[in-house]
Amino acid sequence: MTTGEGPRRGRGRPRTPGAEERILDAALAEYGEHGWSGFTMDAVARRAGVGKSTVYLRWSDKDALLTDAVASHGLELTAVDTGSLAGDLTQLALNLLRHFHGAAGWAALRITFDTASVDDRLGDFAEAVNEVHGRQVEQICLRAIERGEMAEDIPITAVTETIYGAAMVHALSERLEARADSDVEVEARARHIVAMILPGISTMPGTT
Amino acid sequence: MTTGEGPRRGRGRPRTPGAEERILDAALAEYGEHGWSGFTMDAVARRAGVGKSTVYLRWSDKDALLTDAVASHGLELTAVDTGSLAGDLTQLALNLLRHFHGAAGWAALRITFDTASVDDRLGDFAEAVNEVHGRQVEQICLRAIERGEMAEDIPITAVTETIYGAAMVHALSERLEARADSDVEVEARARHIVAMILPGISTMPGTT
Amino acid sequence: MTTGEGPRRGRGRPRTPGAEERILDAALAEYGEHGWSGFTMDAVARRAGVGKSTVYLRWSDKDALLTDAVASHGLELTAVDTGSLAGDLTQLALNLLRHFHGAAGWAALRITFDTASVDDRLGDFAEAVNEVHGRQVEQICLRAIERGEMAEDIPITAVTETIYGAAMVHALSERLEARADSDVEVEARARHIVAMILPGISTMPGTT
Amino acid sequence: MTTGEGPRRGRGRPRTPGAEERILDAALAEYGEHGWSGFTMDAVARRAGVGKSTVYLRWSDKDALLTDAVASHGLELTAVDTGSLAGDLTQLALNLLRHFHGAAGWAALRITFDTASVDDRLGDFAEAVNEVHGRQVEQICLRAIERGEMAEDIPITAVTETIYGAAMVHALSERLEARADSDVEVEARARHIVAMILPGISTMPGTT
DNA sequence: GCATAACCGAGACGGTACGTCTAGTCTTCGA
DNA sequence: TCGAAGACTAGACGTACCGTCTCGGTTATGC
């Protein structure tokens, strides 16, 4: 995402192959363990067994590294097409719940909030996430409208925000209460969320 | 929540009355302007017209101050009882949208995420927020169930998470797109959110 | 030296009698134990069992207190008149050696050097010490000249400086080597010093 | 005496060559201008055009820096061999008077007194000074004894202490009276001092 | 006998330096 | 040419101290 995929044909020593990934992993681990205020470049470099200059050679600064670290593990939401609006949304909710529960997803979340707060810093990443995620729901909804399952006058962003928000706050609750849902609970929660909003957006009242 | 409500009967010069509030305000302002990195104790002290030691006399460190600053202005959600579930939820959603849009609410949000991530730091504040907010929705729902407006088998936490999440993510979107909704838009969004989940939780299908 | 011996006849509560002395003692003790850089007003006040304001009520600042503390115990050199130049000088050297060896004398010495270094601060104390001490030797020498024991063309300040310096450096050596001379050694050293300079200032060559 | 003469062969950026000296000079200048209180690490760093951490990378704390600064310029006494005891001593006295009159010599003196007072701090420097200086006089005296100019039963330390003390106290007097001797006066004083003690240590009575 | 006034202890106040730590840059050696 | 090591400037961190101030209380005089 940052490195620039130049064929690296030059003279001199080629870049150590594993370094990039080790650094990203180290960054993610440090961020997960100590949070933003305890996240130091020196610690990342040391943990990755790498000199600080190697890190700065590839990322311009702290934010860039962190952003990239999260991005590298944080956008693994795969689109689905189960054939029904209910199925698509339930699968999406499930994915989101699992995503935000994991370290990378959670880190992505925090960074999104952090970067969204500072105006003089580029919220590139946050916007990217926003767009990627937003497009997911958009496709689901468009398919549903085509099939006639969903009313056309529903603002899609509202659907996105509701589902994402629900998953997000649920993950937050879990962390605050130092609780970890079982697989069954997660699935139940996903179904609950969808059940709650489906009647509100569907064309046929009374469907579940 | 701040210093312990000791009646301060002792000897010695009593603490300057206004200082506490001025420092908290300054902290919130600095945080809002510069974000977490860029938030300086020296700057807070200077802005509050106060010595650094005065700040450290009352708060043990940066996090404690920031947490308190946000808490002092971040829990101003007033419960409402409009008589109907739809009215209550719409009013709540409206409050939340406005809350998260403002500096204090947004800051509270960020801090909630921050403190929820670090285990060796006390997420006291985050838990408090969680509980206060959770109780709001609980009361609304209990009233609705009493009135027969709401099904009894809906998990209330799911309702909470959905509404809060929707408001939260909407505020996030606004910031990411550097957009500021008008009052009309905010109200419309609140109604949309409620309209989306109301059919899913209400006893009478087809109601809006 | 600082207090100003006003009869303190006014109304109001009179100053606690013992306080003055206790503070001075505490100051001297702290200075002796921790040196100039570890000498704090808070510590002095605490050690004297006294509030800081009580200290500042009597002395304007740190230097004033320290100066006074040393002065109160540091100028106890008593003049002597043994009837002969050799006797007078030996007695003086002995006094000085003992003086500089003790805590108060040593502290006075340090302060003299400290205050002599800073031009914007009043070396009042240092000058006072200098003058008091200088006068001692002056009197001894004048008596000796009257008696015909001492040549008239000797600059008296040179005599003063030599004897004082010798005693001073000897005390310094003792401290540096963590050594403490016995009484016999001190007396021997005093005689040595005088024996060394006596032929150089006496009218009769070859006298000891 | 400073950093340990490791050949610094390793990897990494080598220490900036000039920095050490610039810092020491700045330290000495600051000390000379503002004295011990008023001597600030920040000011030293700023004056040397250096970051504070660079200073702390080389010296553990304020005292260490100051001590070293003085040591670097404070031990420039060169031995002399004029061929006669009187000549040697006069030259030594002259050197000392000039040494203690200068900023570095005076600073060295103060620090010697300071470090000699605090037992938990290493008086390394003070001892070094003591030894270096002591050896000077020792050599002079031994040569004189060989030549038969000086009696063998004179304790050499007494000679050292007397000459050093005389020069020291003279410098002190100059400062206290804000006076600066001319070259002629300094030389006269040196001759006076030696004339005073020479008869007392020489084998031939009546020599000057 | 009661107000007045100066003192006392405690300790909070604004300010400033301390010594530590981090960010991001720069400079060397070795691969 | 790149990588690791690590010194560099800049500046925030949290602590400690200075000298000032404001309390509640105490102890004397003087009306």
Side-chain angles (χ1 to χ4, degrees):
Chain A
M1 171 168 265
T2 298
T3 349
E5 223 52 41
R8 191 100 312 290
R9 72 282 182 263
R11 298 207 287 189
R13 173 174 177 176
R15 294 191 168 177
T16 306
E20 193 116 358
E21 196 185 330
R22 268 186 304 147
I23 295 171
L24 289 172
D25 288 349
L28 211 55
E30 286 287 324
Y31 186 67
E33 289 175 15
H34 309 298
W36 170 222
S37 68
F39 177 81
T40 67
M41 294 301 260
D42 292 81
V44 171
R46 212 178 313 119
R47 185 174 200 139
V50 139
K52 241 197 322 177
S53 42
T54 303
V55 180
Y56 278 102
L57 203 60
R58 296 156 196 257
W59 292 275
S60 62
D61 61 2
K62 204 161 131 165
D63 286 9
L65 168 61
L66 197 45
T67 289
D68 231 27
V70 169
S72 69
H73 294 274
L75 293 170
E76 297 166 349
L77 287 179
T78 49
V80 285
D81 186 355
T82 63
S84 74
L85 178 58
D88 282 5
L89 290 183
T90 306
Q91 190 58 43
L92 176 65
L94 202 54
N95 285 342
L96 286 174
L97 284 167
R98 287 179 178 145
H99 175 63
F100 291 137
H101 180 73
W106 180 254
L109 197 50
R110 286 184 63 187
I111 294 186
T112 305
F113 276 90
D114 280 352
T115 54
S117 306
V118 187
D119 28 37
D120 64 307
R121 193 167 301 286
L122 31 145
D124 286 344
F125 166 68
E127 287 178 24
V129 170
N130 200 36
E131 194 165 335
V132 169
H133 289 194
R135 214 172 298 275
Q136 284 248 1
V137 183
E138 200 177 351
Q139 289 172 357
I140 291 174
C141 289
L142 291 180
R143 283 199 304 267
I145 292 174
E146 262 182 39
R147 282 191 301 258
E149 285 186 291
M150 181 170 156
E152 291 184 25
D153 60 339
I154 306 291
I156 295 181
T157 58
V159 181
T160 309
E161 289 168 6
T162 307
I163 293 191
Y164 272 75
M168 201 177 285
V169 177
H170 186 70
L172 179 60
S173 295
E174 263 186 280
R175 290 194 169 253
L176 289 175
E177 299 167 13
R179 176 169 48 77
D181 285 352
S182 67
D183 256 21
V184 180
E185 287 173 315
V186 174
E187 288 167 20
R189 174 63 57 158
R191 276 195 306 274
H192 269 301
I193 293 171
V194 176
M196 209 181 304
I197 67 168
L198 201 55
I201 64 174
S202 128
T203 45
M204 290 169 279
T207 315
T208 301
Chain B
M1 170 164 270
T2 49
T3 356
E5 224 53 38
R8 187 104 300 291
R9 70 282 181 267
R11 298 205 274 195
R13 175 175 178 173
R15 297 189 168 179
T16 306
E20 195 115 356
E21 198 184 328
R22 268 185 312 161
I23 295 170
L24 289 173
D25 287 350
L28 212 54
E30 287 286 325
Y31 186 68
E33 290 176 15
H34 308 298
W36 168 233
S37 66
F39 176 80
T40 314
M41 293 302 259
D42 292 79
V44 171
R46 213 176 314 120
R47 185 174 200 136
V50 139
K52 223 177 9 157
S53 37
T54 303
V55 179
Y56 279 102
L57 199 59
R58 298 171 145 98
W59 293 276
S60 60
D61 60 4
K62 211 160 128 160
D63 286 8
L65 168 61
L66 196 46
T67 290
D68 231 27
V70 168
S72 70
H73 292 274
L75 295 171
E76 296 166 351
L77 288 178
T78 49
V80 284
D81 186 354
T82 63
S84 74
L85 178 56
D88 283 5
L89 290 182
T90 305
Q91 189 60 44
L92 176 64
L94 203 53
N95 284 343
L96 285 174
L97 284 167
R98 286 176 177 148
H99 175 64
F100 291 136
H101 180 73
W106 180 255
L109 198 51
R110 284 183 65 185
I111 293 186
T112 306
F113 277 90
D114 278 355
T115 54
S117 306
V118 188
D119 26 38
D120 63 308
R121 195 165 299 287
L122 30 146
D124 286 344
F125 165 66
E127 286 177 26
V129 170
N130 201 36
E131 193 165 335
V132 169
H133 289 193
R135 215 173 297 276
Q136 285 249 3
V137 183
E138 199 178 352
Q139 289 171 357
I140 291 173
C141 291
L142 291 180
R143 284 201 303 267
I145 292 173
E146 263 185 36
R147 284 192 299 256
E149 284 185 289
M150 180 169 157
E152 293 186 22
D153 59 339
I154 305 291
I156 294 180
T157 58
V159 180
T160 309
E161 290 168 6
T162 304
I163 293 190
Y164 272 74
M168 200 177 285
V169 177
H170 185 70
L172 179 59
S173 295
E174 261 186 284
R175 291 195 168 252
L176 288 176
E177 301 167 13
R179 179 170 46 78
D181 285 352
S182 67
D183 255 23
V184 179
E185 288 173 315
V186 173
E187 285 167 22
R189 172 64 56 158
R191 276 196 306 274
H192 269 300
I193 293 172
V194 175
M196 207 182 306
I197 67 167
L198 199 55
I201 63 173
S202 124
T203 45
M204 290 168 279
T207 317
T208 301
Chain C
M1 172 168 266
T2 299
T3 348
E5 224 53 38
R8 187 104 308 290
R9 70 279 183 264
R11 296 212 282 193
R13 173 177 178 175
R15 295 189 168 174
T16 306
E20 194 115 355
E21 196 184 330
R22 267 186 306 146
I23 295 171
L24 288 173
D25 287 350
L28 212 55
E30 286 287 325
Y31 186 68
E33 289 176 14
H34 308 299
W36 169 225
S37 67
F39 177 81
T40 68
M41 294 300 261
D42 291 80
V44 171
R46 210 177 316 120
R47 184 172 201 140
V50 140
K52 245 200 317 181
S53 43
T54 304
V55 179
Y56 278 100
L57 204 58
R58 298 159 195 252
W59 292 275
S60 61
D61 60 3
K62 206 160 128 163
D63 286 9
L65 168 60
L66 196 45
T67 289
D68 231 25
V70 169
S72 71
H73 293 275
L75 295 170
E76 296 167 350
L77 287 179
T78 48
V80 284
D81 186 354
T82 63
S84 76
L85 178 58
D88 281 5
L89 289 182
T90 305
Q91 190 58 43
L92 175 65
L94 202 54
N95 284 344
L96 285 174
L97 283 168
R98 286 177 178 146
H99 175 63
F100 291 136
H101 180 73
W106 180 254
L109 196 51
R110 286 184 63 186
I111 293 185
T112 306
F113 275 90
D114 280 352
T115 54
S117 305
V118 187
D119 26 38
D120 63 309
R121 194 166 299 286
L122 31 145
D124 286 346
F125 166 68
E127 287 177 25
V129 171
N130 200 36
E131 194 166 335
V132 168
H133 288 194
R135 216 173 297 277
Q136 284 249 2
V137 183
E138 201 177 350
Q139 289 171 356
I140 290 174
C141 290
L142 291 180
R143 284 201 302 268
I145 292 174
E146 262 184 36
R147 282 193 301 257
E149 284 187 291
M150 181 170 156
E152 292 184 23
D153 60 338
I154 305 289
I156 293 180
T157 58
V159 180
T160 309
E161 290 168 6
T162 305
I163 292 189
Y164 272 74
M168 200 178 284
V169 176
H170 186 69
L172 179 60
S173 295
E174 262 186 282
R175 289 194 169 252
L176 288 177
E177 300 167 12
R179 178 168 46 78
D181 286 352
S182 67
D183 256 23
V184 179
E185 287 173 316
V186 173
E187 288 169 18
R189 174 63 57 158
R191 276 196 306 275
H192 269 301
I193 293 171
V194 175
M196 207 180 307
I197 66 169
L198 200 55
I201 63 174
S202 128
T203 44
M204 290 171 278
T207 315
T208 303
Chain D
M1 172 164 270
T2 50
T3 356
E5 224 52 39
R8 189 102 303 289
R9 71 282 180 264
R11 297 207 274 196
R13 175 175 178 172
R15 296 191 166 179
T16 306
E20 195 115 355
E21 197 184 330
R22 267 185 308 152
I23 296 170
L24 289 173
D25 287 351
L28 212 55
E30 285 288 324
Y31 186 67
E33 289 175 15
H34 309 297
W36 169 230
S37 66
F39 176 79
T40 314
M41 292 302 259
D42 291 78
V44 170
R46 212 176 315 119
R47 184 173 202 138
V50 139
K52 228 188 348 168
S53 34
T54 302
V55 179
Y56 279 103
L57 198 60
R58 298 171 144 105
W59 293 274
S60 61
D61 60 2
K62 211 159 126 159
D63 286 9
L65 169 61
L66 196 46
T67 290
D68 231 26
V70 169
S72 69
H73 292 275
L75 294 171
E76 296 167 349
L77 288 178
T78 48
V80 285
D81 186 355
T82 63
S84 75
L85 178 57
D88 283 4
L89 290 182
T90 305
Q91 189 59 44
L92 175 65
L94 202 54
N95 284 342
L96 285 174
L97 284 168
R98 287 176 178 147
H99 175 63
F100 291 135
H101 180 71
W106 179 254
L109 198 50
R110 284 183 63 185
I111 293 185
T112 305
F113 276 90
D114 278 355
T115 54
S117 304
V118 187
D119 26 38
D120 65 307
R121 193 168 301 286
L122 30 147
D124 286 344
F125 165 66
E127 287 177 25
V129 170
N130 201 35
E131 193 165 335
V132 168
H133 288 194
R135 215 173 297 275
Q136 284 248 5
V137 183
E138 201 176 350
Q139 287 171 358
I140 291 174
C141 290
L142 291 180
R143 283 200 304 266
I145 292 175
E146 262 183 39
R147 283 192 300 256
E149 284 186 290
M150 181 171 157
E152 293 184 23
D153 60 338
I154 304 291
I156 294 180
T157 58
V159 181
T160 309
E161 289 168 6
T162 305
I163 293 191
Y164 272 74
M168 198 178 287
V169 177
H170 185 70
L172 179 60
S173 296
E174 260 186 282
R175 290 194 169 253
L176 289 176
E177 301 167 12
R179 177 169 47 77
D181 286 352
S182 66
D183 255 21
V184 179
E185 287 172 316
V186 173
E187 286 168 22
R189 172 64 56 158
R191 276 197 305 275
H192 269 302
I193 293 171
V194 176
M196 207 181 305
I197 66 168
L198 199 56
I201 63 173
S202 123
T203 44
M204 289 171 280
T207 315
T208 300

